[in-house]
Amino acid sequence: GEDVEQSLFLSVREGDSSVINCTYTDSSSTYLYWYKQEPGAGLQLLTYIFSNMDMKQDQRLTVLLNKKDKHLSLRIADTQTGDSAIYFCAETELSGGYNKLIFGAGTRLAVHP
Amino acid sequence: GAGVSQSPSNKVTEKGKDVELRCDPISGHTALYWYRQSLGQGLEFLIYFQGNSAPDKSGLPSDRFSAERTGGSVSTLTIQRTQQEDSAVYLCASSLDLVPDTQYFGPGTRLTVL
């Protein structure tokens, strides 16, 4: 089956950049997603990237995609305490006529002063 | 409503009892998904609804788990004869089922089986 892997924990100082990495297996994934989960809440879509792109920037967020290595990263510039959350990477799998999201285990980002 | 809602927010039950978890998706969203999030693990896909039908039930872990959706809206996930390993947060999401697709998640139901 498909598999998405992420490191489980990242700690950064407030104001520094955070880089969260993800590897995926399905080379046919058309879109790759980053979701954010704050404590006690559901997941919220942060951004996505189309598989024929290698970079997408959205304010403080930069997504880099290396399709050859099946590696996706999310960079958060000027990380703030409000960025503390769990970040999930997801690939798409065409399954039974719909695009199924396969999530990684999530990376817990801790931002300290 | 404004977003996806789920009830109850917390459920504590005894092993062997049945539980029902409810999801109210965003109005007009044709697709509805159930996921399970266990401590320290990612989201485990359970089931996908397109309207009232469930073309993908492949994630349901056993025949103790079932789900239905009525009127293309509300969905209930039923777990019969609960076991301790069923303890987890159950998340529901809905979407317009487009590509790319944005799934909107509810806050989840935390199920604890004693």
Side-chain angles (χ1 to χ4, degrees):
Chain A
E2 310 309 334
D3 197 17
V4 177
E5 295 192 354
Q6 305 178 234
S7 53
L8 294 182
F9 189 74
L10 177 66
S11 178
V12 298
R13 192 184 303 274
E14 191 174 12
D16 287 351
S17 292
S18 308
V19 180
I20 301 171
N21 294 301
C22 168
T23 56
Y24 62 97
T25 56
D26 188 352
S27 58
S28 65
S29 285
T30 51
Y31 289 89
L32 295 133
Y33 299 81
W34 284 103
Y35 279 79
K36 175 183 180 182
Q37 183 180 34
E38 296 183 355
L43 278 70
Q44 173 190 7
L45 178 67
L46 273 182
T47 187
Y48 62 86
I49 187 167
F50 187 45
S51 60
N52 70 351
M53 298 170 64
D54 52 22
M55 187 181 88
K56 180 179 179 181
Q57 186 147 4
D58 184 0
Q59 299 182 333
R60 292 191 297 122
L61 305 178
T62 302
V63 179
L64 296 177
L65 175 61
N66 181 328
K67 200 172 177 185
K68 173 176 166 289
D69 294 337
K70 296 184 193 143
H71 183 267
L72 183 72
S73 67
L74 174 69
R75 178 178 181 270
I76 306 172
D78 187 26
T79 312
Q80 302 298 307
T81 53
D83 295 324
S84 294
I86 302 175
Y87 291 81
F88 291 90
C89 164
E91 65 174 354
T92 49
E93 171 192 313
L94 187 60
S95 169
Y98 79 104
N99 283 282
K100 181 177 180 178
L101 293 185
I102 308 296
F103 288 88
T107 299
R108 183 178 296 274
L109 174 65
V111 182
H112 56 88
Chain B
V4 179
S5 60
Q6 292 185 246
S7 61
S9 54
N10 277 286
K11 177 72 177 178
V12 180
T13 190
E14 293 179 349
K15 179 181 170 182
K17 301 277 191 187
D18 297 352
V19 295
E20 269 193 6
L21 312 180
R22 177 187 166 107
C23 172
D24 273 282
I26 292 173
S27 178
H29 279 192
T30 54
L32 186 145
Y33 309 80
W34 283 98
Y35 296 90
R36 179 166 71 175
Q37 184 177 23
S38 302
L39 188 64
Q41 300 194 13
L43 271 70
E44 178 187 1
F45 166 82
L46 297 178
I47 189 169
Y48 156 71
F49 284 94
Q50 173 54 250
N52 289 340
S53 65
D56 190 351
K57 305 179 184 178
S58 62
L60 295 177
S62 75
D63 59 8
R64 296 186 295 106
F65 287 72
S66 63
E68 64 175 15
R69 188 180 185 195
T70 55
S73 182
V74 172
S75 176
T76 54
L77 176 69
T78 302
I79 309 173
Q80 295 178 307
R81 305 181 303 281
T82 51
Q83 303 294 311
Q84 287 183 331
E85 61 262 28
D86 299 334
S87 296
V89 175
Y90 289 82
L91 292 166
C92 172
S94 70
S95 77
L96 291 170
D97 215 6
L98 303 173
V99 177
D101 197 27
T102 299
Q103 292 188 21
Y104 294 85
F105 282 79
T109 293
R110 181 175 295 279
L111 175 66
T112 304
V113 182
L114 301 176

